[in-house]
Amino acid sequence: MALVPCQVLRAAILLSYCSILCNYKAIDMPAHQTYGGSWKFLTFIDLVIQAVFFGICVLTDLSSLLTKGNDSQEQERQLKKLISLRDWMMAVLAFPIGVFVVTMFWSIYIYDRELVYPKLLDNFIPAWLNHGMHTTVLPFILIEMRTTHHQYPSRSCGLAAVCTFAVGYILWVCWIHHVTGVWVYPLLEHLSPGVKIIFFAAVTVIINIFYLMGEVLNNYIWDTQK
């Protein structure tokens, strides 16, 4: 009986992300018309990651219900592959990137919002949508971790995947600046080249730390180390 509320909860979270993405894409912002569009913002990339992840969670739940009581080995293998993909996305993308976006955004916002979310954006993005993009991600992913045990990959493989994503996004940001002459985030305009390198290295380290935090938290909740 406990499985049904979890299924409904995941479906509700998925629908909320779909609503947030639709409302965000419907906004007529100048930044959406420039090189890279919405895909230059880590917040948008994270929303897509979260939506895809919870979509896989819902698909896994449906597949589990459909294969329940079925002796087909092929269906069991397919379900295991789906569960493996779900767990990998949770470990490598959904948790570390989601936590990073929330903590970094609000930390910089509190210090000086103009560095990450200029007041001008209030004219385009309502407060509820801002929280949908930068606040609810954290409780949603913590709820998922608490309700479902996820099998983490080996630490070396997991950290390698996280580093690949982080470096890939940093290179994407640098490429956008190379093409347009404008940094995606106003914060980068105020940093010297040397400080930018240190900043990018620190960002990569922080994301890796969040990956390790997710692994430790998952083990603590489900006591997999015992």
Side-chain angles (χ1 to χ4, degrees):
M1 295 297 291
L3 183 62
V4 175
C6 293
Q7 292 174 329
V8 174
L9 187 59
R10 291 190 192 99
I13 293 174
L14 173 60
L15 290 175
S16 71
Y17 276 124
C18 291
S19 174
I20 291 170
L21 282 168
C22 289
N23 279 276
Y24 177 75
K25 291 298 291 182
I27 296 174
D28 185 20
M29 284 199 307
H32 289 175
Q33 313 303 323
T34 57
Y35 185 83
S38 303
W39 291 98
K40 58 179 170 283
F41 301 113
L42 186 59
T43 293
F44 178 78
I45 295 174
D46 178 53
L47 287 175
V48 174
I49 289 173
Q50 302 298 331
V52 171
F53 168 68
F54 278 99
I56 293 173
C57 288
V58 171
L59 184 59
T60 302
D61 288 337
L62 291 174
S63 299
S64 179
L65 289 174
L66 291 174
T67 57
K68 190 174 182 180
N70 194 322
D71 296 331
S72 173
Q73 293 184 350
E74 178 60 27
Q75 289 184 345
E76 286 292 331
R77 281 196 296 268
Q78 295 301 323
L79 179 59
K80 288 180 179 179
K81 288 181 181 179
L82 202 56
I83 292 173
S84 297
L85 176 61
R86 179 200 67 186
D87 292 349
W88 185 88
M89 278 205 69
M90 173 67 171
V92 173
L93 295 176
F95 186 88
I97 306 305
V99 175
F100 177 82
V101 166
V102 173
T103 55
M104 287 296 291
F105 174 83
W106 288 111
S107 297
I108 299 175
Y109 185 97
I110 292 172
Y111 174 74
D112 184 357
R113 66 169 295 177
E114 294 298 318
L115 297 176
V116 67
Y117 191 82
K119 195 172 181 62
L120 175 66
L121 292 179
D122 290 342
N123 298 324
F124 300 95
I125 303 176
W128 72 266
L129 186 55
N130 180 27
H131 285 291
M133 296 188 297
H134 298 115
T135 305
T136 58
V137 173
L138 183 57
F140 283 168
I141 204 65
L142 290 176
I143 288 171
E144 170 60 23
M145 180 170 280
R146 179 62 185 87
T147 56
T148 306
H149 175 240
H150 297 274
Q151 185 67 41
Y152 268 60
S154 67
R155 184 164 294 180
S156 58
C157 291
L159 291 175
V162 171
C163 283
T164 299
F165 176 88
V167 173
Y169 180 71
I170 290 170
L171 292 175
W172 171 231
V173 169
C174 292
W175 174 255
I176 292 173
H177 176 261
H178 172 73
V179 173
T180 65
V182 178
W183 287 103
V184 174
Y185 301 102
L187 169 66
L188 297 173
E189 300 281 359
H190 302 278
L191 303 180
S192 65
V195 176
K196 281 188 182 73
I197 294 174
I198 296 174
F199 176 78
F200 288 143
V203 164
T204 303
V205 170
I206 291 171
I207 293 177
N208 277 270
I209 290 173
F210 285 142
Y211 171 84
L212 295 174
M213 285 176 55
E215 183 182 30
V216 171
L217 183 60
N218 183 71
N219 289 339
Y220 175 76
I221 292 174
W222 298 97
D223 201 20
T224 56
Q225 292 178 336
K226 183 176 292 184

